[in-house]
Amino acid sequence: MRFFLLGPMETTGPSGAVVLPGVKPRALLAALLLEHGRTVPAERLIAVVWGEDPPHTARAVVQTYVATLRRAFDAAGLPAVITSDRHGYRADVPADALDVRAFEDLVDQGRQAARAGDHPGAGRILRAALALWRGPAFGGIGESFLRAEAVRLDELRLTVLEERIDADLAAGQGAQLLAELTGLVTEHPTRERLRAGLMVALYRAGRQADALEAYERGRLVLLDELGIDPGPELRRVQAAILRCDPKLLPASTSRTPRQLPSPPSDFTGRETELAALATVLTWPEAMPVGVVSGAGGTGKSTLAQRVAHDVAAHFPGGQYHLELHGSTANPATPEEVLGRVLRDFDATAAVPGSLEERVARYRTALAGTRTLIVLDDAANEAQVRPLLPGSSGCAVLVTSRNRLPALAGAAFVELGVLPPAAAELLLTRIVGAERGGSEPAAVTEIARLCGQLPLAIRVAGARLVSRRQWTLSRLADRLAREQHRLDELAVGDQQVRASINLSYELLPELAKKALRRLGLLGLPHFPAWIAAAALETEPDDAEVILEALVDVSLVEPDGADPLGLMRYRLHDLVRLFALERASAEETAEARAAVVERVLGSWIWLVERIDETAPPFLPSVPAGFRKGRPVDPEITGRVVARPYDFFRAEEPTLTAAVELAAAMDLDAIAIELATALSGTAFGGHHRVFDDPFGAWQRTHDVALAAARRNDNVLGEATLLAGLGQLHYELDDFPRSRAHLSQALPMFRAAGDVRGEATTLAALGAACRDQGYLPEALHFVDQARKIWEGLPEAGGMGNVRRLAGSVYVEMGEYPEAYAALTEARELFSEASSLRGEGLTLRSLSLYHRARGDWAEAEASAREALAIFERTEDRMLVAYCERALAKTLLRRGDSATARQLAEGALAVSQALADRFGQACTLRVLGEIHLADGRLYQAEQCLEDALGRWSDLRVELLRARTLCTLAEVNSALGNADAAGRMTTEALATFRACGARDYAELAGTPL
């Protein structure tokens, strides 16, 4: 069993963690554990739990708490922990079961080692002692009289940390302590011992001016906050630095170097990378080189520290940790680094002047040893090569934001962000298990908003640790505001923005511009030709720039799309940084031009797709003014595989329209949204995973932009598009409402094409709801306008709609003439889809006339077209039409097979209209085969769907068939009521069915 008091209070037993009761029982247990082996009087326990104001029942409550704790220990399989006698209670646990005692024992050992002059050993022991801490002492026991003991232990922890740093400095470390000391001095600016250590480390790193500046900052802090001057020790270190006192250098250069910084105790994840690097570095009979690359903040240095400690025993010659500062504006030169190392070898020997001489002496000194060299934050291969040992036995571990591909023979590990589970675990370890466990959803959300980037998670965790009053949900809410997220991810000297900026500032100007503009676009992923449009360059040149950004870990490769084009992405936090730089460094006009060019490229490609496969419905605008030509090779790939193109671009297209609308670039937003509605969103291919959702989102945001900018024609265009969307959704009332709003706007603007298109759409919506005279009225108005417009496809659509309405009304000569003309017009327009739909309408015409052979031939011809164009929905519609014809011809088995297949497709595509139609057909097939109950079930299902869709004509037809079923079942009264209701609907709609059933003309 183990008891943990140095952090959130926890107990573990043979089966894992022991669930402890509430805050006050925990405080009582902590008091007993601190006095383990000695009896603690009840009065003392009462004072610990309640302070100076205990309840009058306190003694009884203490007994209850003890009983509760005993039950918890029993349940966990622990031996008797708490015993009692007439004087009080006692914790009977061995000293080594308490992390507090283990900490104190290690501290004693470390101090003994330091007194004996074993400074490396002292550092290792004190580091092990500090690793026992998991947070503030006695976490989770609230406010109690144990606070004083907690304060004592926390102060001891800080003192031991200072002693460990002193031991590391005495052991010869310097530059490798800088990051840790800088953070500690920022957190504890008035602790002179820490500041003195920072000054010594800076001096040993060759940064004398920075060391003196650290002293001056400390002097001002002490004066401002405490009103005192620096103490004698700090003044002594300053004076020694001013006179370049050699005593500031390590006391002995003959000791084995142990320069590795300690990795954080909450290191999380990276198991695969750790194992791979450990294997590489310990490979026998070689001089292995491992390279860890990745973006700033991914934890490269932390991983290197961890793996270096893991393999340190394989390198008895020592371990060097050399900071190369490659991500700064002034990276260390190989000469500087080698000078430091050679002085470590022998402080009394003169360091050679030339690089070649320094490399030679360096490699000679390392020859025959097994030494590990860690080169942290390398700029490039040229900086690293002179620092490589010359013979086997040694190993080198390099970290860099660049990939360093030209480092021959190296093994490469590319570090990305943490997996979600590891990111959440890291945050939980930082803030404490109790705090994180109380808000698991907030932990998940913070990790997500940090993009699983270790640096961002550490910063977020540090903010929470320093703000104990904050809930995790509060920080999650603050991070959710994108425009302020990078502001939130800053604490002390740790800033995500600053980390990314280090890489950004080292970029060539064109790469900076590319990153800014990609951040401005904010696309989830993109191919090189999008970057080319943003930069006004060729795709091949843009790809070179993107690959250079990949090499410095600012852009991530995202695989190849179905067109065979490489796609890229930005990490969310890099995207936000790049967007900030775009706002700061690019003019509003330049930003708008970037968006116009990129969206114009998509419009151009959609137009080229429409040229090769014209959409069935004419677009509201006759053409698009904003299209911008795209590279011919890219255009050819897109036109050859349009649906693969749309699937690859689905999230980017929607995001692009939303961006343009947000920037009030209403014209380009309207054009792209409208272009997509006729190709990617519309039709029945269902190219997008969520075509209707994307259609709605793009039109909503573009419509809002159009209204903000008083773009009346754009508003009308988008309202017409929303009308078509709701028609596709089988929401005919809302479709007519949007179209009715658009119609007077087109008329007022004098846009006859928009007016004609909207009238035809109103005719289709009225037809499908059974408002046949109204449908004919709208279609006839559209015909008159299309007669003056030179577009065969538009007139073909109007004549097909008219023919289908005439069929429903029983006006067969007019129907045949209109449908024949429509087929000719669609053929002239090269609209294969229009021809197929017209053939399907002709099949319905022939079936209504009782000409089964012609009906079957037309249905099969239409089916062949839609099978060739891979239009699943219209294949299902044609199979349903063919099934009805075959049923009339007596082939119910084939009819049933076709209808069941059509129903499955309609269900898969969430086509409510198609499902209702097909269920009615299946009901008719079951009725014809004598399966009356199955027929009744299908027809009643269809009836409910027609009611939901408010399609009264088809509901009435379903009622007629259901009446036949009820009559066959002997339910004559029900059959009569259904027939009467259907006749009333047929008469109201002006449908042919009234005359067929009533035997009288309308």
Side-chain angles (χ1 to χ4, degrees):
M1 58 183 171
R2 295 295 304 278
F3 297 89
F4 302 96
L5 302 179
L6 301 180
M9 187 172 174
E10 295 177 4
T11 301
T12 60
S15 302
V18 177
V19 179
L20 296 175
V23 171
K24 287 183 170 58
R26 289 173 181 234
L28 185 148
L29 176 61
L32 291 173
L33 290 171
L34 287 173
E35 301 289 341
H36 66 96
R38 293 191 294 270
T39 298
V40 181
E43 290 75 13
R44 166 64 178 155
L45 296 175
I46 290 170
V48 165
V49 174
W50 289 283
E52 296 178 355
D53 188 25
H56 67 277
T57 59
R59 187 175 293 272
V61 176
V62 165
Q63 293 173 351
T64 301
Y65 288 165
V66 169
T68 303
L69 289 166
R70 285 170 171 167
R71 284 195 297 272
F73 294 140
D74 288 343
L78 295 180
V81 173
I82 302 175
T83 61
S84 60
D85 56 33
R86 61 190 182 88
H87 299 294
Y89 299 90
R90 181 175 64 254
D92 286 329
V93 296
D96 60 4
L98 287 169
D99 61 350
V100 173
R101 299 296 170 249
F103 170 70
E104 292 172 341
D105 289 346
L106 286 170
V107 169
D108 288 342
Q109 295 173 31
R111 288 171 173 171
Q112 289 173 13
R115 286 193 293 269
D118 182 8
H119 300 296
R124 285 195 301 274
I125 295 168
L126 295 177
R127 188 174 287 108
L130 291 166
L132 296 173
W133 284 77
R134 297 166 297 107
F138 307 132
I141 65 170
E143 294 298 326
S144 76
F145 273 27
L146 290 177
R147 285 295 99 195
E149 177 64 13
V151 170
R152 183 191 73 81
L153 286 169
D154 287 336
E155 178 62 25
L156 176 60
R157 175 191 190 184
L158 196 52
T159 300
V160 171
L161 179 59
E162 292 173 332
E163 293 175 8
R164 195 225 83 209
I165 288 171
D166 288 347
D168 288 343
L169 288 169
Q173 294 191 38
Q176 55 270 52
L177 295 173
L178 282 176
E180 181 183 13
L181 277 167
T182 301
L184 288 170
V185 168
T186 301
E187 188 176 355
H188 306 285
T190 61
R191 294 191 75 101
E192 297 186 41
R193 192 171 180 182
L194 289 174
R195 191 172 295 274
L198 174 61
M199 293 165 61
V200 172
L202 286 167
Y203 180 78
R204 290 183 181 177
R207 297 165 61 183
Q208 183 181 22
D210 291 340
L212 293 171
E213 184 182 347
Y215 172 83
E216 182 60 21
R217 285 198 301 268
R219 186 186 68 80
L220 293 174
V221 167
L222 290 169
L223 188 61
D224 290 344
E225 295 191 13
L226 303 178
I228 61 174
D229 290 325
E233 178 61 21
L234 201 57
R235 293 198 305 271
R236 184 192 65 76
V237 173
Q238 182 214 22
I241 291 172
L242 286 170
R243 64 175 183 270
C244 297
D245 191 336
K247 292 180 181 178
L248 290 173
L249 296 174
S252 171
T253 57
S254 62
R255 287 201 178 100
T256 302
R258 307 290 187 200
Q259 298 183 358
L260 299 177
S262 59
S265 58
D266 53 17
F267 183 91
T268 302
R270 308 298 195 194
E271 292 83 1
T272 301
E273 293 87 350
L274 282 170
L277 288 169
T279 301
V280 167
L281 296 173
T282 57
W283 194 260
E285 299 179 4
M287 198 278 289
V289 177
V291 176
V292 181
S293 63
T298 51
K300 302 180 295 296
S301 297
T302 303
L303 175 66
Q305 292 164 15
R306 174 62 184 270
V307 74
H309 276 283
D310 288 349
V311 302
H314 292 268
F315 299 96
Q319 304 90 40
Y320 280 97
H321 183 272
L322 305 176
E323 282 280 359
L324 303 187
H325 306 291
S327 59
T328 69
N330 298 298
T333 66
E335 291 92 335
E336 292 171 344
V337 177
L338 288 170
R340 294 202 304 268
V341 176
L342 292 176
R343 281 191 292 271
D344 280 346
F345 287 154
D346 187 351
T348 63
V351 175
S354 71
L355 175 61
E356 291 77 8
E357 290 175 307
R358 293 186 181 192
V359 170
R361 183 174 294 185
Y362 168 72
R363 290 175 176 166
T364 299
L366 291 178
T369 71
R370 290 191 56 79
T371 303
L372 176 64
I373 312 293
V374 178
L375 303 176
D376 200 12
D377 191 19
N380 50 45
E381 296 91 339
Q383 187 189 33
V384 170
R385 288 192 187 101
L387 305 178
L388 300 178
S391 58
S392 62
C394 296
V396 180
L397 180 58
V398 186
T399 72
S400 177
R401 297 189 179 200
N402 300 321
R403 288 182 162 184
L404 310 185
L407 208 56
F412 297 93
V413 171
E414 191 163 354
L415 213 57
V417 299
L418 290 168
E424 293 167 23
L425 178 58
L426 174 59
L427 181 60
T428 301
R429 286 178 170 173
I430 294 170
V431 303
E434 183 174 358
R435 195 173 178 194
S438 67
E439 294 186 82
V443 169
T444 299
E445 183 65 4
I446 291 171
R448 185 188 69 81
L449 292 170
C450 289
Q452 282 88 52
L453 186 72
L455 173 61
I457 293 167
R458 288 194 175 280
V459 171
R463 293 201 72 191
L464 289 166
V465 169
S466 65
R467 292 165 175 80
R468 303 295 298 180
Q469 73 278 15
W470 279 18
T471 63
L472 274 68
S473 299
R474 179 178 181 183
L475 180 59
D477 291 341
R478 294 170 71 98
L479 289 172
R481 299 176 299 175
E482 276 201 350
Q483 65 273 31
H484 298 301
R485 190 176 302 166
L486 292 178
D487 296 326
E488 296 292 338
L489 292 174
V491 61
D493 65 341
Q494 290 190 309
Q495 297 182 11
V496 172
R497 180 187 284 113
S499 174
I500 300 171
N501 191 58
L502 288 173
S503 295
Y504 177 76
E505 290 298 336
L506 296 177
L507 294 175
E509 189 51 47
L510 192 56
K512 285 184 179 179
K513 181 186 291 187
L515 189 68
R516 290 196 302 268
R517 293 183 174 184
L518 292 170
L520 168 66
L521 292 170
L523 303 175
H525 49 71
F526 49 87
W529 67 264
I530 292 290
L535 291 170
E536 293 186 282
T537 188
E538 296 301 316
D540 288 347
D541 296 332
E543 187 167 6
V544 170
I545 295 170
L546 287 173
E547 287 297 329
L549 288 170
V550 169
D551 285 340
V552 297
S553 304
L554 285 172
V555 168
E556 302 172 11
D558 200 35
D561 63 23
L563 299 182
L565 301 173
M566 280 299 302
R567 298 188 77 84
Y568 303 87
R569 66 183 295 273
L570 299 182
H571 185 278
D572 264 357
L573 299 179
V574 174
R575 173 181 61 81
L576 293 176
F577 172 85
L579 177 58
E580 285 184 351
R581 299 322 311 152
S583 300
E585 299 181 38
E586 306 261 3
T587 65
E589 293 76 13
R591 296 197 299 272
V594 169
V595 175
E596 294 258 4
R597 286 196 299 274
V598 172
L599 270 68
S601 299
W602 275 313
I603 292 170
W604 165 272
L605 291 172
V606 172
E607 288 185 293
R608 304 291 77 75
I609 291 170
D610 288 348
E611 287 174 355
T612 57
F616 159 63
L617 293 175
S619 61
V620 172
F624 299 103
R625 297 180 295 107
K626 297 285 187 177
R628 296 180 61 90
V630 176
D631 177 78
E633 194 269 334
I634 301 296
T635 303
R637 291 194 189 201
V638 169
V639 170
R641 302 175 66 180
Y643 302 122
D644 286 336
F645 163 72
F646 282 127
R647 290 187 184 97
E649 299 293 339
E650 175 175 356
T652 59
L653 289 166
T654 305
V657 174
E658 291 173 333
L659 172 64
M663 295 175 66
D664 271 341
L665 302 175
D666 54 304
I668 193 79
I670 292 164
E671 282 206 8
L672 182 55
T674 303
L676 293 171
S677 66
T679 307
F681 302 155
H684 298 291
H685 288 274
R686 300 294 189 263
V687 175
F688 283 7
D689 290 334
D690 181 19
F692 299 139
W695 192 337
Q696 183 80 56
R697 284 169 55 195
T698 54
H699 277 58
D700 282 348
V701 295
L703 181 60
R707 287 171 172 165
R708 287 195 301 271
N709 291 277
D710 297 322
N711 187 339
V712 177
L713 187 56
E715 183 178 354
T717 301
L718 292 163
L719 286 169
L722 288 169
Q724 186 61 33
L725 163 64
H726 289 293
Y727 178 83
E728 298 284 349
L729 288 169
D730 304 321
D731 189 347
F732 305 116
R734 290 186 69 185
S735 173
R736 289 188 291 110
H738 284 297
L739 293 167
S740 297
Q741 290 181 64
L743 186 59
M745 292 181 175
F746 283 126
R747 285 172 173 164
D751 188 329
V752 293
R753 180 188 175 86
E755 180 184 358
T757 303
T758 305
L759 285 165
L762 277 166
C766 288
R767 177 202 62 183
D768 284 7
Q769 270 199 284
Y771 303 146
L772 302 180
E774 293 88 343
L776 203 55
H777 165 76
F778 287 124
V779 170
D780 190 54
Q781 287 190 62
R783 177 186 59 79
K784 292 174 183 177
I785 297 175
W786 278 113
E787 285 175 345
L789 298 174
E791 188 171 330
M795 180 60 83
N797 178 49
V798 169
R799 297 303 288 151
R800 188 191 73 83
L801 285 172
S804 64
V805 174
Y806 284 131
V807 169
E808 299 296 351
M809 298 176 73
E811 298 180 15
Y812 297 120
E814 293 85 348
Y816 187 74
L819 292 172
T820 302
E821 182 183 356
R823 187 177 181 188
E824 293 170 354
L825 288 165
F826 280 130
S827 177
E828 180 185 338
S830 301
S831 174
L832 200 58
R833 190 164 189 267
E835 285 191 72
L837 282 169
T838 306
L839 282 164
R840 179 180 172 277
S841 296
L842 280 167
S843 176
L844 303 183
Y845 161 81
H846 289 302
R847 194 172 72 235
R849 298 294 306 274
D851 189 347
W852 315 126
E854 286 295 328
E856 180 179 347
S858 295
R860 291 192 182 280
E861 195 173 350
L863 179 60
I865 288 174
F866 294 123
E867 285 177 337
R868 188 159 72 250
T869 60
E870 300 180 356
D871 194 325
R872 293 174 64 202
M873 180 174 283
L874 286 180
V875 164
Y877 274 52
C878 291
E879 286 178 341
R880 184 172 62 246
L882 182 58
K884 289 199 71 168
T885 300
L886 293 176
L887 177 63
R888 301 293 187 270
R889 303 194 75 176
D891 187 358
S892 62
T894 306
R896 181 179 179 184
Q897 182 180 1
L898 287 168
E900 287 175 345
L903 180 61
V905 172
S906 296
Q907 290 169 337
L909 296 177
D911 174 21
R912 298 184 297 161
F913 191 93
Q915 290 173 45
C917 284
T918 312
L919 285 165
R920 177 180 165 232
V921 173
L922 280 168
E924 293 180 13
I925 294 169
H926 288 312
L927 173 62
D929 288 346
R931 294 183 294 272
L932 300 181
Y933 292 108
Q934 291 95 320
E936 183 180 35
Q937 182 180 2
C938 287
L939 293 166
E940 287 183 346
D941 193 353
L943 199 65
R945 294 170 189 266
W946 293 132
S947 297
D948 292 341
L949 293 171
R950 297 165 67 181
V951 178
E952 295 302 320
L953 177 56
L954 295 179
R955 181 180 180 278
R957 287 177 178 164
T958 306
L959 271 174
C960 283
T961 310
L962 192 56
E964 292 183 54
V965 173
N966 275 271
S967 180
L969 290 169
N971 301 327
D973 291 343
R977 288 194 301 272
M978 291 176 182
T979 302
T980 301
E981 183 181 350
L983 278 170
T985 300
F986 293 147
R987 184 178 181 85
C989 291
R992 69 175 189 269
D993 310 70
Y994 181 80
E996 292 171 359
L997 283 176
T1000 58
L1002 287 167

